Amino acid sequence: MSQRTADSIRSTRLRATKQRIAILDALKSGKKPLSIKAIVTLLGKQADQVTVYRTLELFRRAGLVTRLEFRDNRAYYEYKDSHDHHHIVCVECRTMEDVFGCEYEAFAKGALRQSKKFSRITDHSFELFGICKSCSR
Ligand SMILES: [Zn+2]
Ligand SMILES: [Zn+2]
Ligand SMILES: [Zn+2]
C-alpha cells in the first residue's frame, strides 16, 4: 500500500480507505487505461465491480483519473498525471500506445472563435485509431 497514493486521495478531501488506495494503485502501476473488468481482476477479492465503478467515478469527479472511451462500449480509466496525452488504438488487436504533443489549447481557442453558443472550454478528449505494426504484417 502506497503512502503517496493515500496522500493524493486525501488531497482531494476524499477519505483514503484501503480499498480506494488499492484501486488507485492499480491504475498507477497499470500505466495505461484499464477497463473496470481489468481492475477487478487485478484487485482479486479486494473489491467487487460495483465498488470499483463507484470509486472510479468518485475519483473522476475529484480529478484523480480520466475516463476514456475507445469505441468498444466499455469505459476505461487512467490515472491522471500532469502530462496531457492521448492514445493510438489498434482497431485489430486493441493494443494501445500513449502519444504526446496535443495542441489542445490552440484548438480550443479556435473552437471558441467559431462557436456561437459557448464561452468556455473546460476539457477535451481525443483518441486516434489505426493498425499496429504487428497487425500490418
Ligand atoms: Zn495513457
Ligand atoms: Zn494490432
Ligand atoms: Zn490533449
Side-chain angles (χ1 to χ4, degrees):
M1 195 189 298
S2 134
Q3 185 56 44
R4 281 177 69 181
T5 305
D7 289 343
S8 57
I9 294 172
R10 280 190 205 105
S11 74
T12 66
R13 294 164 165 263
L14 289 173
R15 238 166 15 98
T17 63
K18 233 170 150 179
Q19 232 173 15
R20 287 177 182 170
I21 295 168
I23 293 169
L24 197 60
D25 265 342
L27 279 179
K28 271 182 164 178
S29 53
K31 287 192 165 67
K32 62 173 185 180
L34 296 173
S35 66
I36 294 171
K37 222 176 168 177
I39 298 166
V40 171
T41 309
L42 275 174
L43 291 175
K45 288 198 172 69
Q46 291 179 86
D48 59 32
Q49 198 153 322
V50 177
T51 311
V52 170
Y53 174 74
R54 283 190 190 141
T55 307
L56 290 168
E57 281 301 302
L58 204 67
F59 285 168
R60 185 180 62 80
R61 288 193 296 269
L64 286 171
V65 305
T66 329
R67 180 169 146 161
L68 301 155
E69 317 228 338
F70 300 109
R71 298 181 181 168
D72 60 356
N73 299 314
R74 260 189 238 191
Y76 289 78
Y77 292 83
E78 187 176 44
Y79 179 67
K80 197 172 184 173
D81 56 22
S82 47
H83 304 288
D84 178 33
H85 74 276
H86 299 272
H87 306 89
I88 315 178
V89 184
C90 176
V91 294
E92 299 287 340
C93 71
R94 313 298 299 176
T95 199
M96 248 179 242
E97 195 174 355
D98 285 351
V99 279
F100 297 84
C102 158
E103 311 245 4
Y104 154 64
E105 269 142 40
F107 187 76
K109 262 187 203 159
L112 277 180
R113 273 197 299 270
Q114 289 170 50
S115 171
K116 293 178 181 71
K117 294 181 179 168
F118 289 84
S119 59
R120 225 152 59 95
I121 307 282
T122 55
D123 201 358
H124 69 296
S125 74
F126 177 74
E127 314 303 335
L128 295 162
F129 296 85
I131 310 277
C132 78
K133 284 182 183 167
S134 58
C135 287
S136 32
R137 266 180 215 134

